[in-house]
Amino acid sequence: MAETEWFTPHSSKELFHTYDKSQATGYLDNQITVGKQFNIKLKTARVTKNYDEELSLGDGKDNDLLILSNTHLEGQPKIQRIHYYENNVERGKVLDDFPSEVIFSCNSYQEGTLLVGIEILEIDDLDSDQRSKLKGFFQETAITKASQVFPIIFPYVKVGAKVAGGLWQLFSKPNQKPYSGVLEEDVCLYASGRITANTNSEESPLRYGKYTLVSKAIDGIQYELDRYKLQLKSEPDKVEKDLAYAVLSLEEGIASSEDFETPTRVATLLAEINGNDSERVSSSIDYFGKKLEPYWNFKDLETYLNLLERERSREVLSPQETKLKEEISRQPALQRFLSFLPERSGDRP
């Protein structure tokens, strides 16, 4: 059956339906259960069609591509990130060196449904000066703090007027989008404990592995993944005409570096309070990292108390949850609050 979403175990080249829970997919070994940590990375992307030619722009150049991701974990706001922007990308080139490859990171999974989407856009309505400024902005950001490229943060970041104008045109006028959609695909992944164990059910489980999203339905039997590059089995290095695709890798562990963690939390908070008076929010990312520290401390304390309560109710925490609880208990900023707890060791009555 032809599909636009495919799953491949890390140790395999074969493409399986994302909802395939057969033994061949390693389903029992790669499930993501409560308390586990994981991150999602954009590994490759490829566009085999010249959209500038189709749009008759007359400049004889290749695609001007922008790649974004959208993630929405149940119970949290939707977060959008930018991973790539480049002028004149050669048709068919495999893009695999993203300064900002992390799409999402989860410290302790709590069985929520996760929606992951990728957009590859051909920018077709910006003048040459705007394109140049935008390219410079993304290159500079990628070199310094690539992980801070969140569209929702742009209104609060000090950037040049030309750049700000281009960013505003790209992300703030949903009814006047200056681009064409090359690939706009998402996959909905369910907690293993919530889906039907029947291998014929079409609920896709959240699990470690590689996910391939394509612009048009393909027959997975005819394809394979050579590491992270999609290709026809009969013609290595080739895909069907005009196909665009992106390959994501869902891996163990978290992206915990400060450059990723702080901006992600800022973007999450802004998504939660979006619509408030922007004049009350500082124009500097550094401001958020410092001024909102009490907010993050509260969220960590809330997590600690939840884990402690579960221990007291005789529930056995996973190794990841136990580790997280210990890490939070060592945070200097929380010592005063934790000292008031009558039972911090997790000993059960």
Side-chain angles (χ1 to χ4, degrees):
M1 181 186 300
E3 299 278 3
T4 56
E5 308 162 7
W6 295 92
F7 172 77
T8 302
H10 281 303
S11 59
S12 174
K13 288 186 174 182
E14 299 298 316
L15 270 62
F16 299 91
H17 295 295
T18 57
Y19 50 80
D20 188 336
K21 294 177 277 294
S22 64
Q23 185 176 354
T25 68
Y27 176 60
L28 296 179
D29 298 324
N30 56 34
Q31 295 181 52
I32 297 179
T33 52
V34 173
K36 285 193 174 182
Q37 300 175 332
F38 67 90
N39 67 84
I40 306 174
K41 296 178 180 178
L42 173 64
K43 304 304 292 187
T44 59
R46 189 179 189 184
V47 177
T48 61
K49 182 178 181 178
N50 190 322
Y51 284 80
D52 276 3
E53 287 183 355
E54 182 180 83
L55 294 168
S56 302
L57 297 182
D59 55 15
K61 297 181 179 179
D62 289 307
N63 297 313
D64 301 328
L65 298 179
L66 178 70
I67 302 179
L68 308 97
S69 66
N70 297 282
T71 54
H72 184 198
L73 181 61
E74 184 178 355
Q76 297 183 13
K78 177 180 177 181
I79 296 296
Q80 185 180 56
R81 297 196 62 216
I82 299 173
H83 300 275
Y84 181 84
Y85 178 80
E86 185 61 73
N87 302 123
N88 302 322
V89 179
E90 181 183 355
R91 172 175 46 189
K93 179 181 180 181
V94 177
L95 307 175
D96 59 3
D97 185 19
F98 304 105
S100 177
E101 67 170 5
V102 178
I103 294 173
F104 183 77
S105 185
C106 181
N107 191 45
S108 180
Y109 182 56
Q110 297 302 317
E111 287 207 321
T113 300
L114 177 64
L115 184 69
V116 183
I118 291 291
E119 296 178 81
I120 302 179
L121 310 175
E122 155 62 26
I123 308 302
D124 57 20
D125 194 26
L126 297 180
D127 60 42
S128 59
D129 187 49
Q130 285 177 313
R131 295 185 191 207
S132 177
K133 294 291 185 181
L134 279 173
K135 179 179 178 180
F137 169 76
F138 288 117
Q139 286 182 335
E140 180 180 351
T141 307
I143 292 172
T144 55
K145 292 189 176 181
S147 52
Q148 291 188 358
V149 186
F150 294 85
I152 197 169
I153 291 178
F154 288 156
Y156 313 107
V157 179
K158 293 179 180 178
V159 296
K162 291 278 188 179
V163 174
L167 295 173
W168 178 259
Q169 185 174 358
L170 284 173
F171 299 106
S172 300
K173 298 182 179 180
N175 297 321
Q176 302 176 36
K177 295 181 178 180
Y179 54 74
S180 299
V182 176
L183 170 67
E184 297 177 281
E185 190 68 30
D186 53 49
V187 57
C188 189
L189 303 173
Y190 297 87
S192 298
R194 292 188 179 184
I195 63 177
T196 306
N198 189 324
T199 56
N200 294 321
S201 71
E202 295 191 3
E203 298 165 312
S204 302
L206 177 64
R207 51 184 165 177
Y208 300 116
K210 294 172 281 190
Y211 291 84
T212 302
L213 306 180
V214 294
S215 57
K216 61 181 181 181
I218 62 172
D219 182 357
I221 296 178
Q222 299 180 18
Y223 281 85
E224 66 180 7
L225 273 185
D226 181 12
R227 190 171 169 78
Y228 298 109
K229 184 175 70 175
L230 183 68
Q231 61 186 21
L232 286 163
K233 292 179 179 178
S234 59
E235 297 182 81
D237 199 41
K238 292 187 178 181
V239 295
E240 293 178 33
K241 183 180 179 181
D242 298 338
L243 187 72
Y245 71 81
V247 178
L248 317 181
S249 178
L250 206 157
E251 307 170 358
E252 293 187 67
I254 57 173
S256 58
S257 67
E258 184 177 348
D259 275 357
F260 178 81
E261 182 67 18
T262 298
T264 301
R265 287 182 165 190
V266 171
T268 302
L269 181 62
L270 287 176
E272 291 175 349
I273 65 175
N274 194 23
N276 287 3
D277 182 3
S278 61
E279 292 183 0
R280 299 180 59 189
V281 185
S282 169
S283 62
S284 170
I285 290 299
D286 292 335
Y287 172 89
F288 287 107
K290 297 175 182 177
K291 298 298 184 181
L292 296 179
E293 184 176 358
Y295 174 84
W296 311 129
N297 288 340
F298 170 76
K299 299 298 287 186
D300 288 339
L301 181 60
E302 188 177 50
T303 298
Y304 180 90
L305 293 175
N306 175 262
L307 294 173
L308 184 61
E309 183 62 29
R310 287 169 54 193
E311 278 190 325
R312 288 174 173 173
S313 63
R314 300 184 181 279
E315 181 178 342
V316 178
L317 300 181
S318 69
Q320 292 86 355
E321 289 174 317
T322 300
K323 180 181 178 182
L324 176 60
K325 177 173 171 286
E326 292 174 352
E327 290 175 350
I328 294 175
S329 71
R330 291 193 294 267
Q331 291 183 21
L334 299 181
Q335 294 307 306
R336 178 183 176 186
F337 301 98
L338 296 178
S339 66
F340 290 109
L341 297 177
E343 184 183 332
R344 291 191 48 188
S345 64
D347 295 335
R348 303 186 182 98

